[in-house]
């Protein structure tokens, strides 16, 4: 429906309010649902979308300024509906910088979540295991991140109406929500490890030397998303939590090449386990809200 979009054009913080006005209006043309929580469903977690009841599904390219998602394994739809009875907005797929998207576009979904009324965002992703104990299939609660993309969504004139110029990132990964995710995992009998997510630009996987460097820097998992979304979500005042699904051992640990197919296959196995945890977590938020 939309005219051709160049997703690489710089979007500064100061440009976001007008863009969010248009996005919010496009969503409100279709539904009045006010989500409590926003979910970003990464590779392997798209299945959770099927659990969203009475969903209004909006393809990315029906939203003003959004290109269609292109990464394999990413459907590219915004869903508004109920999960375990709780109003949610879910992003099935996401924008990555490695696709040529400007950081300001990559973070628009979480900024839109905030506009639509959500106070909490859950970020999920597929990641490589940098901690050698984190084998494929491990679920890792993110307790902090390393932004090694060299990019930020907060570059350029600020939008004080959304958030401050100098955003604090201490406890960016909410201790309160981490505790709730741990209880949800306990309740489901699912093991959750915990650690630091290193976000790199990609799209190439790391060299073995880079994985050793990441370990030395304190990373437990590595991926190509999530950190910019966390930064923007904190800027906009959202509480943030997230889980990495470890789909493969970090480059060099097994002597085998890494493939995207391996990443998708592990996601298919562990995704439903993570989906159970998130569903229980969301259901608990509904109880807290009543
Ligand atoms: N590296 C970076 N991103 C990833 C990986 C990895 O090993 N696995 C899944 N996403």
């Amino acid at each position: 429906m939309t005219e051709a979009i160049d997703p690489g054009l710089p979007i500064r913080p100061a440009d976001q309010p007008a863009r969010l006005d248009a996005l919010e209006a496009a969503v409100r043309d279709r539904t009045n649902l006010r989500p409590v929580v926003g979910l970003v469903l990464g590779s392997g977690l798209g299945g959770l979308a099927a659990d969203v009841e009475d969903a209004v599904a909006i393809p990315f390219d029906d939203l003003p300024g959004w290109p269609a998602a292109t990464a394999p394994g990413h459907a590219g739809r915004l869903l508004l509906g109920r999960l375990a009875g709780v109003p949610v907005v879910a992003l099935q797929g996401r924008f990555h910088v490695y696709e040529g998207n400007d950081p300001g576009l990559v973070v628009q979904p979480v900024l839109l979540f905030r506009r639509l009324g959500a106070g909490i965002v859950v970020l999920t992703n597929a990641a490589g295991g940098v901690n050698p104990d984190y084998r494929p299939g491990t679920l890792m609660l993110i307790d902090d991140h390393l932004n090694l993309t060299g990019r930020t969504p907060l570059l350029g004139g600020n939008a004080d109406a959304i958030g401050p110029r100098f955003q604090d990132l201490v406890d960016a990964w909410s201790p309160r929500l981490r505790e709730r995710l741990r209880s949800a995992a306990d309740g489901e009998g699912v093991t959750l490890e915990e650690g630091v997510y290193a976000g790199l630009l990609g799209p190439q996987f790391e060299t073995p030397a880079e994985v050793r460097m990441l370990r030395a820097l304190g990373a437990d998992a590595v991926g190509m998303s999530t950190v910019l979304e966390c930064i923007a979500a904190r800027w906009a005042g959202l509480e943030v939590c997230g889980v990495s699904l470890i789909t493969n051992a970090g480059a060099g640990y097994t002597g085998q090449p890494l493939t995207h197919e391996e990443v998708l296959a592990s996601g298919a196995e562990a995704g439903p386990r993570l989906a159970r945890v998130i569903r229980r977590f969301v259901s608990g938020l509904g109880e807290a809200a009543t």
Side-chain angles (χ1 to χ4, degrees):
M1 84 163 223
T2 34
E3 67 291 354
I5 286 163
D6 178 355
L9 287 180
I11 301 173
R12 297 171 192 86
D15 303 325
Q16 296 287 11
R19 287 175 173 265
L20 291 165
D21 288 346
L23 285 162
E24 186 182 7
V27 172
R28 288 303 173 219
D29 274 349
R30 307 198 187 202
T31 172
N32 286 321
L33 186 113
R34 206 180 148 79
V36 169
V37 54
L39 309 167
V40 176
L41 308 175
S43 307
L45 258 184
L48 195 62
D51 291 352
V52 179
E53 297 133 30
D54 306 323
V56 172
I58 311 175
F60 285 176
D61 51 3
D62 279 0
L63 286 162
W66 286 17
T70 62
H74 289 266
R77 299 191 306 169
L78 186 76
L79 301 175
L80 288 105
R82 287 175 184 274
L83 183 63
V86 177
V88 301
V89 55
L91 194 74
Q92 197 180 6
R94 55 151 57 94
F95 302 122
H96 301 86
V97 181
Y98 66 70
E99 294 165 292
N101 297 312
D102 185 75
L105 176 65
V106 168
V107 303
Q108 254 170 27
V110 296
L111 298 179
L112 179 60
F113 291 175
R114 184 62 168 156
R115 270 296 184 99
L116 296 174
I120 291 172
V121 64
V122 184
L123 301 172
T124 66
N125 57 55
V130 172
N131 182 328
D133 294 335
Y134 292 0
R135 306 280 155 79
T138 300
L139 299 180
M140 188 194 87
L141 184 56
I142 302 173
D143 61 21
D144 207 346
H145 76 232
L146 295 168
N147 174 13
L148 300 177
T149 65
R151 309 295 299 273
T152 167
L154 303 184
L155 198 69
N158 193 45
D160 295 337
I162 301 182
R165 167 80 295 183
F166 299 108
Q167 177 57 45
D168 167 59
L169 291 175
V170 174
D171 285 339
W173 296 89
S174 160
R176 181 184 87 90
L177 296 180
R178 266 146 58 195
E179 188 50 46
R180 294 188 80 106
L181 272 166
R182 276 192 293 266
S183 334
D186 277 356
E188 289 294 328
V190 167
T191 304
L192 261 195
E193 303 295 346
E194 194 157 337
V196 173
Y197 175 90
L200 276 65
L201 269 191
Q204 71 285 347
F205 290 116
E206 299 68 42
T207 64
E210 285 166 346
V211 169
R212 291 194 298 273
M213 171 191 77
L214 293 170
R215 187 66 188 136
L217 291 178
D220 295 288
V222 58
M224 307 172 190
S225 66
T226 304
V227 294
L228 303 182
E229 290 150 320
C230 171
I231 292 167
R234 292 301 300 134
W235 177 63
L238 284 155
E239 257 190 298
V240 177
C241 62
V243 180
S244 288
L245 193 164
I246 306 292
T247 52
N248 56 280
Y253 284 160
T254 67
Q256 299 300 312
L258 302 188
T259 65
H260 188 63
E261 288 64 36
E262 175 188 7
V263 168
L264 292 182
S266 308
E269 181 279 314
R273 220 177 332 126
L274 178 50
R276 273 163 46 213
V277 174
I278 290 177
R279 191 186 169 87
R280 185 180 279 247
F281 168 81
V282 167
S283 134
L285 295 176
E287 282 155 27
T290 52

